[in-house]
Amino acid sequence: MEYLTTKQAAEKLGVTESRIRQLIAEGRLKSEKLGHINVILEKDLAKIAPRPIGRPKKEKSELQKKQD
């Protein structure tokens, strides 16, 4: 098991360290406190891997499909 610091986790996900700390505070990312730093298991990081931004597109209704 490999542990990552918040800085390393941020670099892997392409986000800021403050975003990682926010995810930890929200309980969406598990971490352990070692002294004054948070460490994250790399396998836990995969659970919040990059997802598409925004809302998923809605399916067209039958009426909209007929109009196209």
Side-chain angles (χ1 to χ4, degrees):
M1 289 187 287
E2 186 175 340
Y3 285 97
L4 303 170
T5 64
T6 52
K7 182 176 183 177
Q8 292 168 327
E11 289 171 356
K12 279 196 173 254
L13 291 180
V15 297
T16 63
E17 280 187 75
S18 62
R19 178 66 180 140
I20 296 295
R21 287 191 297 272
Q22 182 182 24
L23 291 169
I24 292 169
E26 292 173 356
R28 294 176 55 197
L29 180 60
K30 291 170 79 175
S31 72
E32 294 182 34
K33 195 83 165 169
L34 291 180
H36 68 282
I37 63 168
N38 286 310
V39 290
I40 301 141
L41 279 173
E42 194 164 8
K43 68 178 181 120
D44 290 333
L45 197 62
K47 294 177 184 176
I48 61 158
R51 293 178 271 173
I53 297 172
R55 294 182 182 183
K57 291 186 177 184
K58 291 183 178 179
E59 298 258 342
K60 288 186 176 182
S61 70
E62 291 299 318
L63 182 60
Q64 289 173 329
K65 288 178 185 177
K66 288 179 182 177
Q67 291 176 350
D68 288 340

